[in-house]
Amino acid sequence: MAGAAMAMAHVAGVAVVPTSFSGLKNMEFAADCVKSVSGSSQGFRTGTRLPTKSASRSQRAAGAVRVRSMGPEVAELEPASPGSPLLVPRQKYCESVHKTVRRKTRTVMVGNVPLGSEHPIRVQTMTTTDTKDVAATVDQVMRIADQGADIVRITVQGKKEADSCYNIKDTLVKKGYSIPLVADIHFAPAVAMKVAEYFDKIRINPGNFADRRAQFEKLEYNEDEYQKEIEHIEKVFIPLVEKCKKYGRAIRIGTNHGSLSDRIMSYYGDSPRGMVESAFEFARICRRLDFHNFVFSMKASNPVVMVQAYRLLVSEMNLNGWDYPLHLGVTEAGEGEDGRMKSAIGIGALLQDGLGDTIRVSLTEPPELEIDPCTKLANLGMRASAQQRGVAEFEEKHRHYFEFHRRTGQLPVQKEGEEVDYRGVLHRDGSVLMSVSLDKLKNPELLYRSLATKLILGMPYKDLATVDSILLRELPPLDDKDARLAIKRLTDISMGVLTPLSEQLSKPLPHAIVVVNLEEISSSAYKLLPAGTRLAVTLRGDESEEQLDLLKSIDATLLLVYLPEDKNVSRVHASRRLFEYLQSNKLNFPVIHHLHFPAAIHRDDLVIKAGSEAGALLVDGLGDGILLEAGDQDLDFLRSTSFGLLQGCRMRNTKTEYVSCPSCGRTLFDLQEISADIREKTSHLPGVSIAIMGCIVNGPGEMADADFGYVGGAPGKIDLYVGKDVVQRGIAMSTATDALIQLIKDHGRWVDPPADE
């Protein structure tokens, strides 16, 4: 043992743990080993995670060594960020940080559909019918299959539903449909055993398959007590694994952020680490039984948490030498543009890194409507990995893969002698910029409304969700007094007006922020401008370091990252490279992601591309705002999409946030109808988050991000929550929305809707 302890070392702040350390069994010994060589026990975890009963959670989090029995000869761990107690594998979470390379996985068979990196990214959804209604369920599955889905999931909550599954499968086969069926199981191991005889795949939730529903109690275990919990999981889960192995079924170990068990949360908190560890408990059982036909998922309603959890999962699999496929999804994403945007941010960010083998876009809409955005995302991921677009290799030291740390650019400060206030041209929580054409200036009042300003006697004033700055690619003639007056009224309210250098030199606009490129900086063309002119620099992100060094010579108000479609260069990777350069050189310019879309682009395509490309950066805290440009799209849509993107990335909150489940056979009311009614009456409450849930099967933790919850408790009855706590039960549905509004008022979060202007 002493010899093994001496084999440990710290190299440049990284803990090096030989994988032969499989003999470590308890926390005290592990901590002693680390102290014996480094004088510190901070940050490690054991593979068996067996804290003493007297240890506090903070002590447990800091005191153990992670040990793996598989993987590389030496496992290297490092803090997720400077000073972080969370240690993560030094090995990257994806195949390459320089380009999109699809992660290599084994093939898992789901019925007749192969799943994994050697196959297309599979598209799936879930039925919303009552599973006991065989005819309705069959009909919906056929509609879903006809829309192009590869796999369909069906909720199976009890014996009656399980009994119906045979008839559902049999009827579909007789009608010529061989699409694989997945049973969605919560709290019902016996039901899982039954339906495994008929369906092709079983989805189990590690948070509630063997554990009781979380009560959010802090638990303490000694080694024996913890081992008994593991033995209980094995007793419940092993029969299902053996049956799936016998029948050739697949399993999805599907962790949900909101339904972790009290046992897991007592060790790891309500965190991505807890999500991964919860899934690994079940995966280790599968592996011990030589069962490998399973996939993982790490779903959350918060795209930032979801992305971090999947990354941590993959890094842990890499450390163990595992290669299981991934099912991607943002749960409770909602409906319409918001639901598509949240899904695009979370799923798209992972696809850009080559992660993901099957996806589901969870919308509060009929399931067949999920297939189109889901297919668009799958195609995006397949193209990205096939083309392997990227940038030249660079060393990435500053991006945090597993914890959110926002790089915040220096907001504009007022300079002596400036006649207008530039402090409002960017927003501290994330800025929205919009491109405005000359013809929009012909109707100033309509333009002001499109920018979401308040109007008082026709004069604009900034509001909560007003655009921060506009880009005028072309300036009005010097003698067009009306157009220039319309612009002046915007600069008077501290709205930034950006315009190209050529336009400003030929038709000067007072107080404009002039957009220059690196060539214009290099040639000193910008020096033709009057002293003190504010500058914005536009660049691609893939320039050489020598070119980027030009940024050191100027005082820029902001940077615009604008990369036209390029078959070789990836916007995401080029931008990451740029941020690495800025942080390495201590340049704190605010950075705005500028995306330009082709004419006639479908709105869903725009939302998905913006979420996948800009969202993939913002979930890592890389960026200070967004400029979406599409000449044929109206300004209202582009503005709402921009603000939705920032809110989906947990930056700037400008509207009511809804955590809305997509409905399934467990739903106890018309989710789409009720959701629309609640939105109509509460959509004017920015900063308030409302969960609208068909049932509470995944636990109150599913509403972790919500202030208030409207949840189906029984047929025709609604339970109301504040956070994770139920405060009213069994409210008649006819009065439940009014009761929700009263609850919001009672907690001081209600404001009356603004009067129409």
Side-chain angles (χ1 to χ4, degrees):
M1 286 292 186
M6 291 305 296
M8 299 177 62
H10 277 269
V11 180
V14 177
V16 183
V17 185
T19 54
S20 60
F21 258 59
S22 57
L24 296 182
K25 290 295 183 184
N26 61 55
M27 172 181 165
E28 292 90 350
F29 179 76
D32 288 343
C33 285
V34 179
K35 289 176 182 176
S36 70
V37 293
S38 68
S40 170
S41 62
Q42 184 177 4
F44 294 94
R45 286 196 175 279
T46 61
T48 49
R49 303 169 314 288
L50 301 176
T52 62
K53 191 169 185 177
S54 59
S56 69
R57 192 163 80 190
S58 61
Q59 289 171 327
R60 291 195 301 268
V65 179
R66 173 167 295 287
V67 180
R68 298 299 185 197
S69 59
M70 295 185 62
E73 289 298 321
V74 176
E76 294 187 352
L77 308 177
E78 61 187 356
S81 59
S84 171
L86 171 64
L87 279 206
V88 295
R90 197 171 196 184
Q91 185 172 350
K92 297 294 189 253
Y93 68 90
C94 60
E95 296 294 315
S96 171
V97 296
H98 312 113
K99 59 184 178 180
T100 303
V101 179
R102 192 168 178 191
R103 171 179 168 264
K104 297 297 183 184
T105 76
R106 68 175 62 231
T107 293
V108 166
M109 293 301 300
V110 183
N112 59 356
V113 174
L115 192 67
S117 60
E118 299 302 314
H119 312 284
I121 296 173
R122 304 300 185 182
V123 171
Q124 58 178 285
T125 185
M126 187 174 184
T127 59
T128 60
T129 54
D130 181 347
T131 306
K132 297 189 298 297
D133 189 336
V134 173
T137 303
V138 166
D139 184 60
Q140 192 171 69
V141 170
M142 291 191 297
R143 292 200 306 273
I144 291 168
D146 291 342
Q147 288 295 316
D150 298 302
I151 300 169
V152 178
R153 181 157 47 112
I154 298 173
T155 186
V156 189
Q157 59 265 53
K159 184 179 182 301
K160 292 181 180 179
E161 288 80 7
D163 290 340
S164 299
C165 289
Y166 171 82
N167 291 327
I168 292 170
K169 181 72 172 180
D170 184 59
T171 304
L172 284 167
V173 170
K174 289 177 179 176
K175 289 179 177 289
Y177 285 82
S178 61
I179 187 167
L181 302 181
V182 182
D184 192 63
I185 304 294
H186 298 267
F187 301 107
V191 172
M193 290 289 290
K194 179 67 174 176
V195 78
E197 298 174 10
Y198 317 130
F199 278 12
D200 305 284
K201 182 179 176 184
I202 309 296
R203 178 274 169 115
I204 61 104
N205 183 341
N208 60 34
F209 186 78
D211 288 297
R212 65 190 178 108
R213 186 190 301 278
Q215 304 299 310
F216 304 98
E217 300 172 348
K218 182 178 179 181
L219 305 177
E220 301 287 348
Y221 293 94
N222 60 29
E223 182 171 339
D224 290 339
E225 290 169 342
Y226 185 85
Q227 188 58 40
K228 287 180 181 177
E229 294 283 349
I230 297 299
E231 290 171 0
H232 172 66
I233 293 175
E234 293 175 346
K235 181 180 179 181
V236 173
F237 187 51
I238 284 175
L240 177 63
V241 175
E242 291 176 336
K243 191 161 193 176
C244 287
K245 189 174 180 180
K246 174 183 176 181
Y247 282 82
R249 309 306 189 200
I251 291 177
R252 170 157 70 100
I253 302 174
T255 305
N256 275 41
H257 178 222
S259 57
L260 297 175
S261 68
D262 285 332
R263 176 175 51 82
I264 287 292
M265 286 191 286
S266 294
Y267 286 117
Y268 304 102
D270 191 9
S271 66
R273 169 63 75 188
M275 296 170 68
V276 173
E277 294 296 339
S278 181
F280 266 45
E281 289 180 345
F282 285 77
R284 292 186 189 106
I285 295 171
C286 290
R287 289 178 56 81
R288 196 169 73 245
L289 297 174
D290 196 26
F291 178 80
H292 302 281
N293 205 47
F294 66 90
V295 303
F296 285 111
S297 68
M298 297 277 126
K299 292 194 176 184
S301 60
N302 181 334
V304 176
V305 172
M306 173 261 197
V307 168
Q308 292 169 1
Y310 276 102
R311 288 174 174 172
L312 190 59
L313 171 74
V314 174
S315 69
E316 288 287 328
M317 280 203 281
N318 288 343
L319 191 58
N320 281 272
W322 296 2
D323 60 352
Y324 300 102
L326 300 177
H327 168 124
L328 305 185
V330 176
T331 191
E332 281 92 35
E335 63 182 350
E337 182 188 318
D338 287 344
R340 286 160 175 78
M341 178 61 79
K342 284 184 187 177
S343 295
I345 292 167
I347 297 172
L350 295 166
L351 292 174
Q352 295 285 352
D353 279 322
L355 305 180
D357 304 287
T358 179
I359 59 177
R360 187 221 173 163
V361 173
S362 299
L363 301 176
T364 310
E365 299 176 19
E368 51 266 36
L369 297 185
E370 294 181 356
I371 304 305
D372 183 62
C374 197
T375 300
K376 285 180 166 65
L377 275 168
N379 291 340
L380 180 152
M382 291 299 295
R383 283 196 304 272
S385 59
Q387 295 170 352
Q388 292 196 358
R389 293 189 297 175
V391 291
E393 289 192 12
F394 64 98
E395 187 176 3
E396 195 172 39
K397 298 179 180 178
H398 292 88
R399 183 164 64 98
H400 301 288
Y401 310 144
F402 308 104
E403 295 180 328
F404 181 81
H405 290 264
R406 184 179 167 200
R407 173 210 176 265
T408 304
Q410 174 61 55
L411 294 173
V413 295
Q414 200 67 8
K415 299 177 182 178
E416 185 177 351
E418 289 182 323
E419 298 177 9
V420 299
D421 189 351
Y422 287 98
R423 290 172 294 182
V425 303
L426 296 176
H427 193 282
R428 65 183 181 185
D429 296 326
S431 305
V432 169
L433 285 70
M434 294 186 64
S435 178
V436 173
S437 58
L438 267 184
D439 65 296
K440 300 293 184 184
L441 297 174
K442 296 176 182 177
N443 189 334
E445 189 167 312
L446 182 60
L447 171 63
Y448 300 154
R449 290 181 185 277
S450 296
L451 300 176
T453 64
K454 279 188 172 180
L455 288 177
I456 301 178
L457 299 177
M459 299 292 289
Y461 293 88
K462 278 194 171 182
D463 200 4
L464 180 70
T466 300
V467 170
D468 300 290
S469 293
I470 62 171
L471 169 64
L472 286 171
R473 291 190 175 275
E474 185 179 358
L475 291 177
L478 293 171
D479 59 358
D480 190 341
K481 296 181 179 179
D482 290 339
R484 290 189 166 241
L485 177 60
I487 298 171
K488 180 181 183 302
R489 287 175 174 165
L490 294 175
T491 58
D492 285 345
I493 62 171
S494 194
M495 184 177 291
V497 179
L498 284 67
T499 194
L501 175 63
S502 58
E503 286 293 295
Q504 183 68 3
L505 290 175
S506 61
K507 295 174 282 186
L509 178 72
H511 317 305
I513 299 172
V514 180
V515 180
V516 297
N517 56 38
L518 292 180
E519 183 178 341
E520 290 165 337
I521 295 174
S522 177
S523 67
S524 298
Y526 73 99
K527 292 183 178 179
L528 297 173
L529 296 166
T533 299
R534 294 266 183 169
L535 298 177
V537 182
T538 183
L539 65 169
R540 291 167 52 99
D542 64 341
E543 294 88 351
S544 68
E545 286 207 12
E546 290 74 20
Q547 290 174 305
L548 293 176
D549 283 343
L550 292 168
L551 295 173
K552 299 176 181 178
S553 66
I554 64 166
D555 178 20
T557 299
L558 58 97
L559 305 182
L560 292 167
V561 182
Y562 175 63
L563 179 65
E565 193 71 22
D566 190 306
K567 65 179 181 180
N568 297 314
V569 182
S570 155
R571 177 190 305 277
V572 171
H573 296 88
S575 298
R576 288 174 179 170
R577 178 179 175 273
L578 173 64
F579 280 107
E580 186 62 41
Y581 172 85
L582 294 175
Q583 290 173 279
S584 295
N585 289 277
K586 296 180 169 55
L587 298 175
N588 61 349
F589 304 122
V591 177
I592 305 300
H593 299 294
H594 182 186
L595 282 71
H596 191 282
F597 298 95
I601 187 171
H602 189 280
R603 286 190 171 187
D604 276 5
D605 290 319
L606 187 151
V607 168
I608 287 169
K609 192 169 179 62
S612 300
E613 296 193 349
L617 296 157
L618 295 175
V619 293
D620 282 333
L622 301 180
D624 299 276
I626 187 76
L627 167 55
L628 303 180
E629 195 171 3
D632 57 341
Q633 295 290 349
D634 63 78
L635 295 185
D636 287 338
F637 167 71
L638 293 173
R639 186 193 70 249
S640 65
T641 300
S642 300
F643 278 109
L645 175 57
L646 294 182
Q647 186 155 329
C649 292
R650 295 307 192 262
M651 292 177 65
R652 185 171 175 182
N653 197 320
T654 54
K655 56 186 177 182
T656 314
E657 179 79 9
Y658 296 98
V659 179
S660 178
C661 74
S663 184
C664 69
R666 294 182 175 88
T667 301
L668 297 168
F669 54 84
D670 188 326
L671 194 63
Q672 295 170 46
E673 179 183 335
I674 294 297
S675 178
D677 182 51
I678 292 175
R679 285 172 181 264
E680 180 183 355
K681 296 174 180 176
T682 62
S683 60
H684 63 288
L685 301 173
V688 175
S689 179
I690 301 173
I692 309 169
M693 315 288 287
C695 70
I696 201 63
V697 66
N698 281 333
E702 286 294 352
M703 298 180 292
D705 283 344
D707 302 307
F708 305 96
Y710 179 108
V711 180
K717 300 293 183 181
I718 299 298
D719 298 339
L720 296 182
Y721 284 72
V722 175
K724 298 175 182 177
D725 300 319
V726 62
V727 294
Q728 297 180 45
R729 290 189 184 276
I731 303 169
M733 190 169 297
S734 59
T735 61
T737 301
D738 291 336
L740 172 65
I741 292 171
Q742 187 59 50
L743 185 63
I744 297 172
K745 291 179 178 178
D746 292 343
H747 283 76
R749 305 294 300 276
W750 180 266
V751 295
D752 289 330
D756 291 336
E757 295 173 355

